[in-house]
Amino acid sequence: MSVAIYIAVMAIVTYLIRMIPFTAFRKKINSPFIKSFLYYIPYGVLSAMTIPAIFYSTGDMTTAVVGTVVAVILAYFKLPLIVVALSATAAAYITGLFI
């Protein structure tokens, strides 16, 4: 298949994903349940894509868990993202050296 066909299919799918909610929900959404559901969808999707990548990225579950724990602890204390990322990476790397 041609690259142009792949791009066209991706464009159509992306357009449909964005267009369907506009056509399906013409009135203002008043339900608090639906509003809160739609509010948390991006966080749920981001977590569903990120968490598996975290635990399979190092090839060893122990280093992944140590890096994740370090990242969560540092993020809890609201440190800058670069500090959290570098510290988690260093913790996973050092753990990998000892295993």
Side-chain angles (χ1 to χ4, degrees), residues 57-79:
S57 63
T58 62
D60 183 29
M61 190 62 73
T62 307
T63 57
V65 169
V66 168
T68 303
V69 168
V70 168
V72 168
I73 290 171
L74 294 178
Y76 177 77
F77 289 112
K78 297 183 180 177
L79 292 172

Side-chain angles (χ1 to χ4, degrees), residues 46 50 54 67-68 70-90:
L46 181 63
T50 306
I54 289 171
T68 303
V70 168
V72 168
I73 290 171
L74 294 178
Y76 177 77
F77 289 112
K78 297 183 180 177
L79 292 172
L81 179 61
I82 190 72
V83 174
V84 173
L86 291 176
S87 301
T89 304

Side-chain angles (χ1 to χ4, degrees), residues 25 29 31-44:
F25 302 110
I29 299 172
S31 169
F33 175 76
I34 294 177
K35 280 184 178 180
S36 65
F37 177 76
L38 294 174
Y39 178 79
Y40 287 111
I41 283 177
Y43 301 110

